[in-house]
Amino acid sequence: MSNAVTVERVYNFSAGPAVLPEPVLEQVRDEMLCLPGVGSSVLEISHRSPAFEEILDNTTQGIRNLFQVNDDYEILFLQGGSRLQFAMVPMNLIPAGESADYLVTGSWSQKAAQEAVGLTDSKIVWDGKPDRYRSVPQTGDYETNTAARYLYYCSNETIQGVQFQDHPEGKNLVCDASSDFLSRPMDISKHAVVYACAQKNAGPAGVNVVILRRDLLDAIPDGLPGYLDYRSHVDAGSRYNTPPTFAIYVTGLVLNWVEQQFGSLESIQKHNEQKCALLYDVIDRYSDFYIGHAVERDRSKMNVTFKFDNEKFDALFKTMAAERQLTNLGGHRSVGGIRASIYNAMPVAGVQTLADFMEEFAQQNG
Amino acid sequence: MSNAVTVERVYNFSAGPAVLPEPVLEQVRDEMLCLPGVGSSVLEISHRSPAFEEILDNTTQGIRNLFQVNDDYEILFLQGGSRLQFAMVPMNLIPAGESADYLVTGSWSQKAAQEAVGLTDSKIVWDGKPDRYRSVPQTGDYETNTAARYLYYCSNETIQGVQFQDHPEGKNLVCDASSDFLSRPMDISKHAVVYACAQKNAGPAGVNVVILRRDLLDAIPDGLPGYLDYRSHVDAGSRYNTPPTFAIYVTGLVLNWVEQQFGSLESIQKHNEQKCALLYDVIDRYSDFYIGHAVERDRSKMNVTFKFDNEKFDALFKTMAAERQLTNLGGHRSVGGIRASIYNAMPVAGVQTLADFMEEFAQQNG
């Protein structure tokens, strides 16, 4: 029945869209022509059909269970990526003449802050740029404004590879958790909004999970365009317009996989800590050769970033890695160097193969 | 290798997300674990990888070729469905204090007009509501305002089943072609903007094709949020943020299928005309029993809508149809009745089976 392409799969260290669990891809493949009991592909079913209702409910419930999200929060599935949330958050949460506070720890929080500052009177209360975004602030490093409607942060900066080890102190936290969502526990109850585009740990590109404290809905300014008003999506149960049904379906399958494979976010966190330790250990043992970007305390468990003292090694490293089926290790085009993104679905074997290669490469060239 | 689910496929008359060509679904299935030559799933590859560049280029070129879109136009792939375009079009095309004209021929153009009227000084210059949206205006039925920045219309109203047989007369036409895009030729050069969400004829839910005349970019007001400014997407080649890579990939495969199966939009138009004639013929022969919604001249070739004089037949019709594997025939929840959506990928055999059933049902109950 199937002419499945049988090319060997590589270890894909892409920062996103990124590697997905193989059992999830296999289920997507096997159900592609007919969702069981439905007689149509998941790509073909109405967003108002009972089959999709079930997918949407399961995906919502999967998030609710894993993060223990209580009923004070709505869970939405939106489009337009984090970029659209950069605008929707201030448009919805900051009434005219008011402001919010932003912690800027890398490229993504910088872009989010820029959007908010453009639309409102918001303030950057801590900026890591002078130190090339190598760290995140600790309590006492910044002062929030009493009148600020929220304190914004990006839990993990994919480009620089710095990560908050816990949420910062502040009222009405808003978190862009795009690149570490589902990789560890998170206390949603400390937040006003948590959002995450799926294409790192949670699913394919095309959907953004938005977890929103319900009382915020009352203060949304009137007159926003329909799609940009959170209330439209809450009132319509994420079906104000046709949602990205396939991306929600795959996200649901990834949530099932996390539950079955790891049981809890605590367990997947431990797994991710073990994985990144394999790479940071090599970096620390060859610290004259591999120059890590983040300060040790704030290292990302998702995106391991480093450089060589001599840039000539960049290309050689990537070429030799690719020969071992270790792919997409280039740093973001804005910073260069090397970046290994090791999200939930990257198997230990892939990280170990990379660690072994790094050891060998350092011995040969260091 | 595959545990493909082998349930029989039904004839799915859903209005969208809707039936897709089986060869496309088979290719998606077969490539799900490894895109040929890449070693990763299409769900896992970076939107900046050479493999995705090729997908994006091919999809863009497929549209350009089929519609003969000239170089005055940009082709973008955005998120947020038509709903977000309802706002983006006036935000980008109408400078402060100016306006546009709207033709309202059904539920979707009504919602689009409402959004524009809320954001700007725009005017509805023709409204089909008093006649329950049974027709579209002809030249002379409406008067445009000289100062209007564009004339907006929806080429096919999915809910009511009325369709413009050709574009209306007017300057700077803006067309929501969501539900008949790719089903027939369209003179793009008569338009300022044509947009279409993919989930009817062109692909799965999650991507909106926007064809935009380049000179309009010069007049976009400054200060729009990044995602909402067309220039962000043009400058970044549809990768201002991570685009819905999978939906673009499937749309590309559907374009290939249209080219291989039909060769041209003229040819697929003929095919669609033959399909809808099978149903309208039964409606006309049993016109006391099947009450078509649209006036004959403006009948949709995509969504065939009708009612029974006695509403009790609605449920019986749907139940008996479902027994013949003819599914999703309910009218939109806002209007009731019956709706058969017969997009490009609905095979003639499916439409013929429905026509035969309608004949039989009328003879038994009429």
Side-chain angles (χ1 to χ4, degrees), chain A residues 194-205:
Chain A
V194 172
Y195 66 80
C197 53
Q199 70 267 16
K200 318 288 183 179
N201 286 296

Side-chain angles (χ1 to χ4, degrees), chain A residues 3 32-33 44, chain B residues 9 19-31 249-250 253-254 256-258 260-262 344-345 347:
Chain A
N3 299 305
M32 184 47 65
L33 265 78
E44 303 174 306
Chain B
R9 282 170 57 80
V19 60
L20 287 168
E22 237 176 85
V24 166
L25 295 174
E26 285 167 355
Q27 186 170 350
V28 173
R29 176 194 64 197
D30 294 344
E31 296 181 350
Y249 155 78
V250 179
L253 298 183
V254 170
N256 289 348
W257 174 80
V258 168
Q260 283 165 18
Q261 199 72 10
F262 299 95
N344 288 351

Side-chain angles (χ1 to χ4, degrees), chain A residues 5 7 9-10 12 17 20 29-30 33-34 39 44-45 48 80 83 115 199 225-226 240-242 246 333, chain B residues 5 7 9-10 12 17 20 29-30 33-34 39 44-45 48 80 83 115 199 225-226 240-242 246 333:
Chain A
V5 177
V7 182
R9 281 170 57 81
V10 297
N12 172 11
L20 287 168
R29 176 194 64 199
D30 295 342
L33 265 78
C34 278
E44 303 174 306
I45 59 172
R48 302 199 184 279
R83 286 280 195 173
E115 192 89 79
Q199 70 267 16
Y240 174 66
N241 70 328
T242 309
F246 177 76
R333 63 216 153 93
Chain B
V5 177
V7 182
R9 282 170 57 80
V10 297
N12 172 11
L20 287 168
R29 176 194 64 197
D30 294 344
L33 265 77
C34 278
E44 302 175 307
I45 59 172
R48 302 199 184 278
R83 286 280 194 173
E115 192 89 78
Q199 70 267 16
Y240 174 68
N241 70 328
T242 308
F246 177 76
R333 64 217 151 90

Side-chain angles (χ1 to χ4, degrees), chain A residues 261-295:
Chain A
Q261 198 73 12
F262 299 96
S264 70
L265 293 173
E266 285 75 11
S267 152
I268 206 163
Q269 176 178 35
K270 196 170 288 175
H271 179 77
N272 284 322
E273 280 168 359
Q274 288 163 353
K275 283 194 313 194
C276 74
L278 294 172
L279 301 183
Y280 285 125
D281 176 59
V282 182
I283 290 173
D284 287 340
R285 283 191 290 110
Y286 297 92
S287 59
D288 291 341
F289 186 63
Y290 293 120
I291 302 164
H293 182 74
V295 302

Side-chain angles (χ1 to χ4, degrees), chain A residues 138-366:
Chain A
Q138 308 300 301
T139 307
D141 289 351
Y142 57 91
E143 243 178 276
T144 56
N145 293 293
T146 327
R149 305 293 289 203
Y150 58 81
L151 176 64
Y152 182 100
Y153 74 108
C154 175
S155 52
N156 182 67
E157 286 282 357
T158 330
I159 293 178
Q160 284 80 19
V162 293
Q163 186 175 26
F164 281 89
Q165 303 311 309
D166 198 355
H167 64 82
E169 286 300 316
K171 269 189 306 184
N172 284 328
L173 293 173
V174 173
C175 179
D176 174 358
S178 292
S179 55
D180 61 6
F181 188 70
L182 272 188
S183 77
R184 60 179 186 179
M186 190 171 186
D187 187 350
I188 303 293
S189 75
K190 292 281 194 298
H191 292 78
V193 180
V194 172
Y195 66 80
C197 53
Q199 70 267 16
K200 318 288 183 179
N201 286 296
V207 66
N208 200 317
V209 178
V210 179
I211 307 175
L212 180 72
R213 212 177 58 218
R214 206 170 278 140
D215 66 292
L216 298 164
L217 299 171
D218 301 331
I220 294 175
D222 282 326
L224 292 178
Y227 194 92
L228 304 180
D229 189 323
Y230 285 129
R231 291 172 299 192
S232 309
H233 303 286
V234 169
D235 293 348
S238 286
R239 281 166 299 176
Y240 174 66
N241 70 328
T242 309
T245 49
F246 177 76
I248 295 171
Y249 155 76
V250 179
T251 301
L253 298 184
V254 170
L255 289 163
N256 288 349
W257 173 81
V258 168
E259 279 208 24
Q260 284 165 16
Q261 198 73 12
F262 299 96
S264 70
L265 293 173
E266 285 75 11
S267 152
I268 206 163
Q269 176 178 35
K270 196 170 288 175
H271 179 77
N272 284 322
E273 280 168 359
Q274 288 163 353
K275 283 194 313 194
C276 74
L278 294 172
L279 301 183
Y280 285 125
D281 176 59
V282 182
I283 290 173
D284 287 340
R285 283 191 290 110
Y286 297 92
S287 59
D288 291 341
F289 186 63
Y290 293 120
I291 302 164
H293 182 74
V295 302
E296 196 178 331
R297 183 197 64 199
D298 300 334
R299 280 172 169 173
S300 169
K301 291 172 179 61
M302 299 281 100
N303 313 96
V304 177
T305 54
F306 57 89
K307 288 193 180 197
F308 301 99
D309 207 17
N310 187 333
E311 272 183 34
K312 76 167 183 183
F313 287 123
D314 282 18
L316 185 64
F317 182 91
K318 286 183 274 189
T319 306
M320 289 185 63
E323 286 163 7
R324 288 160 173 78
Q325 310 299 317
L326 305 166
T327 67
N328 298 308
L329 283 159
H332 189 268
R333 63 216 153 93
S334 64
V335 296
I338 304 293
R339 170 172 58 175
S341 298
I342 50 174
Y343 300 119
N344 287 352
M346 171 57 69
V348 176
V351 183
Q352 187 63 61
T353 307
L354 175 58
D356 293 347
F357 165 66
M358 284 174 67
E359 177 109 31
E360 189 188 318
F361 190 81
Q363 284 174 357
Q364 282 169 6
N365 301 289

Side-chain angles (χ1 to χ4, degrees), chain B residues 3-320:
Chain B
N3 299 306
V5 177
T6 52
V7 182
E8 208 183 337
R9 282 170 57 80
V10 297
Y11 289 123
N12 172 11
F13 293 92
S14 169
V19 60
L20 287 168
E22 237 176 85
V24 166
L25 295 174
E26 285 167 355
Q27 186 170 350
V28 173
R29 176 194 64 197
D30 294 344
E31 296 181 350
M32 184 46 66
L33 265 77
C34 278
L35 206 57
V38 175
S40 291
S41 172
V42 67
L43 301 180
E44 302 175 307
I45 59 172
S46 167
H47 53 299
R48 302 199 184 278
S49 64
F52 183 72
E53 293 252 2
E54 195 181 320
I55 288 169
L56 186 61
D57 287 349
N58 284 345
T59 309
T60 309
Q61 206 52 52
I63 293 169
R64 226 176 250 290
N65 292 347
L66 277 170
F67 286 96
Q68 297 161 30
V69 182
N70 70 42
D71 284 346
D72 294 340
Y73 290 82
E74 293 283 345
I75 298 178
L76 303 174
F77 298 92
L78 305 186
Q79 295 180 270
S82 292
R83 286 280 194 173
L84 193 56
Q85 293 311 307
F86 291 175
M88 281 180 69
V89 164
M91 287 170 96
N92 281 267
L93 268 52
I94 308 180
E98 305 226 19
S99 70
D101 289 340
Y102 278 73
L103 301 175
V104 172
T105 55
S107 304
W108 294 111
S109 47
Q110 194 275 328
K111 287 182 210 300
Q114 195 178 10
E115 192 89 78
V117 168
L119 294 167
T120 67
D121 229 11
S122 294
K123 307 277 185 307
I124 294 172
V125 295
W126 192 88
D127 191 351
K129 193 172 182 185
D131 190 34
R132 294 183 300 121
Y133 301 128
R134 297 175 62 239
S135 64
V136 305
Q138 308 300 301
T139 307
D141 289 351
Y142 57 90
E143 242 178 276
T144 55
N145 294 294
T146 325
R149 304 293 289 202
Y150 59 81
L151 176 65
Y152 182 101
Y153 74 108
C154 175
S155 50
N156 182 67
E157 286 282 356
T158 330
I159 293 178
Q160 284 78 19
V162 293
Q163 186 174 27
F164 281 89
Q165 304 309 310
D166 198 356
H167 65 81
E169 285 300 317
K171 269 189 308 184
N172 284 327
L173 293 173
V174 172
C175 179
D176 174 358
S178 292
S179 54
D180 61 6
F181 187 70
L182 272 186
S183 76
R184 61 179 185 179
M186 189 171 188
D187 187 350
I188 303 293
S189 75
K190 291 283 193 297
H191 293 78
V193 180
V194 172
Y195 65 81
C197 53
Q199 70 267 16
K200 317 289 184 179
N201 287 295
V207 67
N208 200 318
V209 177
V210 179
I211 307 175
L212 180 72
R213 210 177 59 218
R214 205 171 279 142
D215 66 291
L216 298 164
L217 299 171
D218 301 331
I220 294 175
D222 282 325
L224 292 178
Y227 194 91
L228 304 180
D229 188 324
Y230 285 130
R231 291 172 298 191
S232 307
H233 303 286
V234 169
D235 293 348
S238 286
R239 280 166 299 176
Y240 174 68
N241 70 328
T242 308
T245 48
F246 177 76
I248 295 171
Y249 155 78
V250 179
T251 301
L253 298 183
V254 170
L255 289 163
N256 289 348
W257 174 80
V258 168
E259 279 209 23
Q260 283 165 18
Q261 199 72 10
F262 299 95
S264 71
L265 294 173
E266 284 77 10
S267 153
I268 205 162
Q269 177 178 33
K270 195 169 291 176
H271 178 77
N272 284 323
E273 281 168 359
Q274 288 163 352
K275 283 194 312 192
C276 74
L278 295 172
L279 302 183
Y280 286 124
D281 176 59
V282 182
I283 290 172
D284 288 340
R285 282 192 290 111
Y286 298 91
S287 58
D288 291 341
F289 186 62
Y290 292 120
I291 302 164
H293 181 74
V295 302
E296 195 177 331
R297 181 196 66 198
D298 300 334
R299 281 173 168 172
S300 169
K301 293 172 178 61
M302 299 281 101
N303 314 96
V304 177
T305 54
F306 57 89
K307 289 194 179 196
F308 301 99
D309 207 16
N310 187 334
E311 270 183 35
K312 76 167 183 185
F313 287 123
D314 282 18
L316 185 65
F317 183 91
K318 286 183 274 188
T319 305
M320 288 186 64

